[in-house]
Each structure stands twice: as C-alpha cells, then as structure tokens.
Amino acid sequence: MKDVLDTSSAPGLSRREFCQFLAQSAVLSLAAPSFFSSCAHRVFGSSLPLQTLDPRLGDGLRLAPGFSAREFIRWGAPLGHPGESFGYNNDFIAFQPIGESEAWMWVNHESVHPGFVSGDWQMERKKSHIDIEMKNVGGSLLRVQKKDAQWVLAAGAKTHKRFDAFTKIPFSGGAKIKGASVALGTLANCAGGTTPWGTFLSCEENFEHFYGDRKRGEMKISPGKPDLAWHRYYDAPPEHYGWVVEIMPDTFSAKKLVALGRFSHEAATVVTARDGRPVVYMGDDADNQCLYKFIGTRVGSLDEGTLFAADFKKGEWVPLNRRHPALNGFSDDLEVLTYARQAAHLVGATALDRPEDVEVHPVSGAIFVALTNNKSQGRPYGSILRIDERGGDHLSLHFESRNFVMGGEESGLACPDNLCFDTRGNLWVTNDISGKSIGTREYAAFGNNALFVVPTEGPHAGRALRVAEAPRDAELTGPCFAPDGQSLFVSVQHPGELSMSAQALTSHWPDGAGELPCPAVMEIRIPSFS
Ligand code: FEO
Ligand code: CA
Ligand code: CA
C-alpha cells in the first residue's frame, strides 16, 4: 500500500480540528452518539481553514491528516464464477444491508479504455477486442461482510454476479422497444440509486459511445458517435440504452425501467413520499439538458408512474406524456419516454449546466443537484443547486430553487459531480474536471480531481473542504458510506486514461513505478467516524 497513499505533504486541519469542523456543521438530531461523545465537549474554533489539502498534480491518492485508506477491490479481481471478474472503471457504489454486518454491494463499471482493457491501443476494433470490452462494463453485485472491523467480500462460488454487455435484460412491464422486449446487456453505467425495497438502480449514461444514438424519426445513427464501434459486430438499437436498470439481488435479475424515461441518466435518487409511493430525482448529464422527477403509481415499484421535467422559470414540474399539447405528435407515451430528452425541451423544461448527481438532505428533504459545468455557455466551474419542494412535499409539482455552492476559485471547487450525505447532514462531493483539462487554463488552480466535504447547515454552510485527491487523470466517483456509517467507499476511476501506450503511461497508480494504472474501489476511514 505504500505507493497508493500519500498523506505526508498534506497541510491543513489536524484530526482534532477536523472533528470540530464536522461537529460544528453537523445536524445534531442525526448525530451518532459515538461521534458526539468524542467531539461535542470541545470548544469550537472561531475560524476554520477552507481546505485541508492544497491542490496538487501528483500521482497518489492524497489524504487529509488523520484519514486512511485501503484497497477494497480492483479491476480484474476474480468473483468466484469462471470467467467472471470485477469490471473496469468502477463508478457508483451502493449498499443494501442484510442484518448487522452483512450487505449486498453494487458497483457500476461505466466505460472501457481499449488500450488497457482489450489491448487495442491502435483502435483496430476487432471483434475479439470488443468481446473483451463487453465483459468489462455494466456492474458487479457483491456479497460483503464486516469481519474484524473491515468490510470484505463474502466467500462462496455463487455469492457474486456480474451484469455486463452480454447479459439479457428485459424492459419493465413487457414493453417492446424497437420491436424487442429484451436488451442485449447494460453499459455506460454511471451513478445510480437504491430503493426502499432492497434493490439497486444503475444508470446508463454516455451510451452513444457504444452503439451510437439517433433522434426520434431518424433511421441512421449519428456518424462518429459510436467511437467504440461495437455496432460493427452486434446489431443492438441505440434505443435499448440510456435507461435506468433495476437490479434485484435476491433473484440475481435485472430489468430496464421504461417509465423513468431514456436520456443520459446520471443518477436516480429515490425518496418515499408521504403516501408511501416512490419519487425519483434524475439528471441528464450533457450540456443544456434537464432535471427530471418520477412519481410512482404504486408503493414498492418503479414500473408505472409519471415522468416530469423541471421548468425553473416557473418553478414547476411538467408531465411528459401525450396529454401535453406539445407532445401530441408522438405516437404514444412509450415513444415520449424513449425520446424523453426531446420531449422535455418541447414542453419548455429548462436547459441546465450538465445536471449530474442528485441527493436529498436526510433532515430537511431539500434536493441538491450537482451542475458540473457548461463550457458552451462560458461556465466552466459548475455549481450545486438546492431545490425545495413546496411544503416539503415530494409529490408537489411546484418548487423553489437557489444556488448552494458556486464553483470557482473562491470555493475551491470546480465541476461538482457525485454527491452523498453522511448521517450528520454533511454533503460529500467529488468533482470531475476532464482529464485533458486538469491543471490547464481555467483549471490550473484546482489540481487533480478530489473529494470535498461541505456542511449544509450552520455557520460554515456551503464551504468546501478538500479531503482527498485522486491520482493522475483520475476521478473519484461513487462516494458511499458503508452500512455502519464508519467508512466511506470511493471509486478511483480512469487513472492514467491519457496514456498513449503501455510504454507511455501517465499514471502508475496504485502499484507505483513501472506498473500499469488500475481502477479500484477504496475504503476511506475518516477521523471521528469509527
Ligand atoms: Fe458518468 Fe456524468 O458522469
Ligand atoms: Ca458522474
Ligand atoms: Ca450520489
């Protein structure tokens, strides 16, 4: 592990100061007794540093003082079944607890790097390359246990399951998309969500790289879009991708949730409305795209319901179905859902700056949305938006919104992407400056991508503390607290993605000098959390 971590050069908060900071910003009603038994008696400091790490451009996983990390799993780890292994470019992480010290864990595998994954550095795109790549996207369903104060993979040949680009996955409710009721695989799995009934949601985001895309009514896929060229060997319609996939761990099965619409799904965050029905908030991660909400018809199911898109000028959720006059040119509601992005613009939904992750505050119910950036509009740093539903009611079709954090040099945060709350109400944020932009031009001051903690209440609300920094070219993704709340799991995604060959590597993380870079999931321990 000596090459994986680098805490030696971290200035900023001491363990005690960090403990004070989190306590000062905490939502007291949610605080775990163990946390306040160690922190609450302290006299809070009157001023706090904005950052615990200064931004750097190194090739380690740098951590703030007092933090520690260990590798939980990495690309290629065997998963018990012959030929099944942990996929590439781990992203979203989630848990569904099964009792005190056991859980299902889900990890998305968003994308492939052809050089590292299939050895296709020259982009020859043979079928043999693509077959390997198809086994490395999708997601991993893992059974995990806590043993000796550490989370580990459970043993057993039938304990884990991979869902990849070969897995046959039906559309929910028997829907037929382009004449088929079953899709070939899942891919581009970015962020996601969990449901109160014990399942996982995995979101298909940049699907156009694999089989391309086309607009409603078009016959041909857009030229140049399927840059991975899987369509050369597999005849899969683009409309089979861009959905939210629900994974049922108890049956090792999955389905694509048609009612949640099709676009570049970033995340799907589920809350329970006052009448028990599920409500899902979802971003469409592309420049000038929209924010969506789904209200389920039935408790415990996302198979049926109404999809809405947000109009921020009016503060209204606008339903997407053929009853809206702007949508009566669609042949039926299934076509509206299949081309939901086009439908949202037709009803006047608001174009946003790449809406990525969405999280709901555990106490106030306020909705926080990461808007990553919008270079086409001259906004390179993004922001975090706060939305309050009228009356705090997730079934309301009216809302108010305001900026919570503005990206930029003042906040120290650029391009916010993934979000998660701890049980104390602090917001944990990872950012995504694209690999080629890291350390250049308007991003020169921000260093590598990083993990931040931002209080949402109290005197320090909205201040971003930089507590971990990714290796070169990489992005920290999928932050998620373990079921016991004591450690934070984070994916290290695409280290060394700008490497031009195995002889010209830009990163050697995690194994150090001379070694190939490798995506991995890390378990991070935080001062005062365990
Ligand atoms: Fe896969 Fe929008 O990040
Ligand atoms: Ca993302
Ligand atoms: Ca999240």
Side-chain angles (χ1 to χ4, degrees):
M1 294 288 287
K2 65 179 167 46
D3 294 316
V4 176
L5 306 174
D6 173 9
T7 60
S8 59
S9 60
L13 294 177
S14 66
R15 183 186 187 285
R16 178 174 165 277
E17 286 170 325
F18 187 77
C19 182
Q20 287 176 347
F21 179 86
L22 290 184
Q24 196 166 10
S25 61
V27 176
L28 300 181
S29 61
L30 281 183
S34 59
F35 176 76
F36 278 92
S37 63
S38 63
C39 290
H41 64 281
R42 298 183 192 280
V43 178
F44 299 146
S46 59
S47 64
L48 291 162
L50 283 172
Q51 296 178 342
T52 58
L53 290 175
D54 59 330
R56 301 265 179 94
L57 293 169
D59 191 31
L61 178 63
R62 290 174 67 221
L63 299 170
F67 283 58
S68 63
R70 72 179 183 99
E71 184 178 308
F72 176 75
I73 193 169
R74 66 165 66 182
W75 172 50
L79 294 181
H81 305 264
E84 287 214 342
S85 58
F86 193 68
Y88 199 69
N89 269 349
N90 27 230
D91 198 317
F92 175 71
I93 300 167
F95 294 91
Q96 287 285 10
I98 315 165
E100 280 282 298
S101 56
E102 198 166 11
W104 288 111
M105 180 181 186
W106 174 264
V107 183
N108 277 350
H109 302 294
E110 183 176 24
S111 57
V112 288
H113 182 298
F116 292 124
V117 173
S118 62
D120 189 14
W121 288 96
Q122 305 304 320
M123 293 301 280
E124 294 176 89
R125 304 285 74 202
K126 295 176 182 168
K127 183 171 181 293
S128 58
H129 296 135
I130 286 161
D131 285 350
I132 294 170
E133 292 168 14
M134 289 174 73
K135 293 291 289 179
N136 276 283
V137 296
S140 291
L141 179 63
L142 309 172
R143 187 82 171 222
V144 297
Q145 297 169 329
K146 192 169 187 185
K147 280 189 173 170
D148 303 325
Q150 266 189 188
W151 288 95
V152 294
L153 288 187
K158 294 189 177 170
T159 314
H160 319 295
K161 179 171 172 60
R162 284 282 285 112
F163 293 77
D164 60 32
F166 286 114
T167 310
K168 302 262 173 58
I169 302 179
F171 295 106
S172 59
K176 282 194 169 180
I177 309 287
K178 291 289 169 186
S181 56
V182 176
L184 178 66
T186 183
L187 44 79
N189 308 73
C190 186
T194 55
T195 68
W197 51 93
T199 63
F200 296 100
L201 303 178
S202 176
C203 293
E204 297 178 337
E205 189 199 21
N206 297 316
F207 59 89
E208 68 276 14
H209 295 298
F210 302 85
Y211 295 109
D213 195 16
R214 58 191 162 194
K215 292 189 173 143
R216 172 176 166 250
E218 289 178 347
M219 296 302 288
K220 289 190 173 170
I221 58 176
S222 309
K225 264 298 180 191
D227 42 5
L228 289 167
W230 290 10
H231 66 299
R232 287 189 197 167
Y233 307 103
Y234 293 92
D235 186 20
E239 291 83 356
H240 282 192
Y241 309 96
W243 301 99
V244 177
V245 184
E246 183 173 10
I247 297 97
M248 284 67 74
D250 291 343
T251 53
F252 278 8
S253 62
K255 57 184 171 183
K256 297 204 178 193
L257 297 171
V258 174
L260 273 59
R262 176 177 163 270
F263 41 89
S264 291
H265 276 284
E266 173 77 24
T269 301
V270 184
V271 288
T272 302
R274 52 185 158 75
D275 65 359
R277 288 184 293 153
V279 175
V280 191
Y281 294 94
M282 302 172 284
D284 179 1
D285 180 10
D287 283 356
N288 308 309
Q289 296 306 332
C290 304
L291 186 73
Y292 297 79
K293 162 163 125 172
F294 171 83
I295 300 178
T297 303
R298 289 183 286 124
V299 173
S301 170
L302 299 174
D303 288 357
E304 293 170 34
T306 304
L307 183 66
F308 301 83
D311 179 335
F312 281 82
K313 275 192 188 146
K314 295 180 181 166
E316 286 179 8
W317 294 102
V318 185
L320 298 181
N321 54 45
R322 283 191 74 250
R323 286 188 292 284
H324 194 292
L327 302 181
N328 58 20
F330 285 77
S331 56
D332 53 25
D333 284 345
L334 181 59
E335 190 178 43
V336 174
L337 294 168
T338 305
Y339 302 98
R341 178 183 278 182
Q342 287 171 266
H345 289 292
L346 285 169
V347 302
T350 303
L352 300 171
D353 296 350
R354 292 185 56 198
E356 294 214 66
D357 207 355
V358 184
E359 286 293 332
V360 177
H361 191 283
V363 173
S364 70
I367 299 138
F368 290 79
V369 183
L371 302 178
T372 294
N373 58 33
N374 194 336
K375 292 183 184 174
S376 71
Q377 301 292 323
R379 292 190 287 272
Y381 300 129
S383 60
I384 299 176
L385 191 66
R386 174 179 170 145
I387 296 172
D388 290 277
E389 301 275 30
R390 183 175 290 176
D393 180 1
H394 292 291
L395 300 176
S396 174
L397 300 185
H398 302 274
F399 63 85
E400 291 181 352
S401 63
R402 58 190 152 104
N403 286 320
F404 171 61
V405 179
M406 290 304 294
E409 291 195 28
E410 191 173 336
S411 63
L413 175 64
C415 311
D417 185 343
N418 290 143
L419 310 173
C420 81
F421 280 104
D422 60 37
T423 54
R424 300 149 176 94
N426 297 298
L427 185 63
W428 295 74
V429 182
T430 59
N431 72 327
D432 177 16
I433 302 169
S434 71
K436 283 180 181 158
S437 298
I438 290 171
T440 69
R441 299 182 304 278
E442 64 265 50
Y443 300 109
F446 295 92
N448 284 352
N449 285 315
L451 168 72
F452 303 80
V453 58
V454 184
T456 57
E457 309 282 345
H460 303 291
R463 298 176 75 176
L465 269 176
R466 185 181 183 94
V467 294
E469 190 174 82
R472 202 167 287 140
D473 303 349
E475 182 187 347
L476 301 177
T477 56
C480 179
F481 281 90
D484 57 15
Q486 294 186 341
S487 55
L488 180 68
F489 282 74
V490 174
S491 287
V492 178
Q493 196 192 50
H494 55 75
E497 71 169 350
L498 299 182
S499 302
M500 297 306 291
S501 74
Q503 291 72 46
L505 300 171
T506 56
S507 171
H508 302 283
W509 190 88
D511 293 332
E515 301 294 330
L516 294 174
C518 184
V521 173
M522 305 296 289
E523 182 180 7
I524 295 181
R525 293 266 168 189
I526 300 162
S528 84
F529 273 55
S530 53

